[in-house]
Amino acid sequence: MLFSAFIVFIICICSGILTGLLGIGGGLIIVPMFMTVLPLFGVNCFSTHQIVAISTTCVFFNSATTSFFRRKEEHIEKSQLFWFSLFIVAGTVLGSYVSSFAPDKLIFWTYILVCLLSIYLLNKDIFIDLSNSVFKFVLYLIFSFIGVFSAIIGIGGAVFFATTLKCFINKDAKALLPSITFLVFVHATFAFLSKLALHEVVLPIIPIAVVASIIGSKIGIRISKNISPRTITLLMQLFLILGIVRVCFEVF
């Protein structure tokens, strides 16, 4: 049990580094690593439901810790953050409901298209000022859509937050990291509380996740401050590609 806790600790540190570096929750790597790395060390003590719950726990504490460390950095306008958060939560609730009957193939192909579009947009200098127009409700609907997707696919959507903010707020990905992390924290809080209410959270993992998130996020933030916005954008595109690969494995 001590050895398995150590492996969990290392995996949680890796996800914490990703949160500090890119603002993403780390769930994209946690589930595959638990399902592939742990068995290599003879650790098979977690069910699939527990692995998902552990991932949710790690993402929650990673994003909470990173948001705290970045609290004094520049965020987007507070009123925008509030409304984006509200629509993300609404989309997450809707996504949890839609996931029970939405066709898997439709979800799969839509996700692929959204990922490819995000990869393209991250490479372009596109700015559409909806914040000061009568069509600003479209921006809120986009964040609600991301919340829906996050709930259905099981991936936090941080890179989608980055893509959307980059196109509509007119800042590079590096400058948007504090706001992206906060939005991930909002989504992760709802997901974690849901798992907690369903008694799916593995309670002994919580202290491990807390310590790992503090260490990992500190490392990730330090690295992010020493690399260029272009590098951060390229890393986000890489994780979009990894997201496509993950979903392909699950479908095929």
Side-chain angles (χ1 to χ4, degrees):
M1 187 62 187
L2 186 61
F3 181 72
S4 62
F6 174 73
I7 300 299
V8 170
F9 180 70
I10 296 300
I11 293 175
C12 288
I13 284 182
C14 292
S15 66
I17 291 173
L18 286 176
T19 308
L21 177 60
L22 301 176
I24 66 178
L28 183 62
I29 67 160
I30 294 175
V31 174
M33 286 184 76
F34 267 83
M35 289 184 170
T36 57
V37 175
L38 290 183
L40 292 177
F41 292 94
V43 179
N44 295 291
C45 56
F46 299 114
S47 66
T48 302
H49 281 294
Q50 287 178 318
I51 289 173
V52 172
I54 291 171
S55 172
T56 302
T57 303
C58 290
V59 171
F60 169 69
F61 285 109
N62 287 341
S63 57
T65 305
T66 306
S67 293
F68 176 77
F69 287 145
R70 290 192 181 275
R71 68 191 185 282
K72 294 182 179 180
E73 296 181 27
E74 185 180 354
H75 289 70
I76 62 174
E77 189 180 334
K78 289 182 179 180
S79 62
Q80 287 183 317
L81 267 181
F82 171 79
W83 284 108
F84 292 162
S85 301
L86 191 64
F87 276 85
I88 287 168
V89 171
T92 303
V93 174
L94 178 60
S96 300
Y97 173 71
V98 170
S99 63
S100 62
F101 62 83
D104 289 341
K105 287 288 180 68
L106 177 62
I107 294 171
F108 167 71
W109 287 113
T110 305
Y111 179 75
I112 297 296
L113 290 173
V114 172
C115 282
L116 292 175
L117 177 62
S118 296
I119 291 171
Y120 172 78
L121 290 175
L122 282 171
N123 255 329
K124 299 294 180 180
D125 292 324
I126 298 174
F127 172 56
I128 305 171
D129 188 8
L130 289 181
S131 300
N132 300 309
S133 76
V134 294
F135 298 105
K136 64 181 179 180
F137 70 91
V138 174
L139 186 54
Y140 300 136
L141 289 178
I142 292 173
F143 277 93
S144 181
F145 176 74
I146 295 172
V148 171
F149 244 57
S150 300
I152 293 174
I153 302 296
I155 298 174
V159 184
F160 298 146
F161 296 152
T163 305
T164 306
L165 289 175
K166 182 176 178 291
C167 290
F168 296 102
I169 303 297
N170 198 26
K171 291 184 178 182
D172 62 56
K174 186 173 182 177
L176 291 168
L177 284 179
S179 301
I180 294 167
T181 306
F182 179 80
L183 293 175
V184 172
F185 170 60
V186 169
H187 179 271
T189 300
F190 180 83
F192 175 71
L193 292 177
S194 299
K195 294 292 182 184
L196 202 60
L198 293 170
H199 305 288
E200 293 180 359
V201 173
V202 183
L203 296 180
I205 296 297
I206 291 179
I208 296 175
V210 171
V211 176
S213 67
I214 293 172
I215 297 172
S217 59
K218 269 287 191 182
I219 295 171
I221 290 172
R222 181 167 295 184
I223 295 172
S224 73
K225 290 180 178 179
N226 294 306
I227 59 177
S228 67
R230 178 60 181 164
T231 302
I232 289 177
T233 298
L234 289 173
L235 288 172
M236 286 181 175
Q237 291 174 317
L238 173 62
F239 276 93
L240 281 168
I241 295 170
L242 290 176
I244 293 174
V245 172
R246 172 185 162 180
V247 173
C248 286
F249 272 112
E250 289 180 357
V251 172
F252 298 110

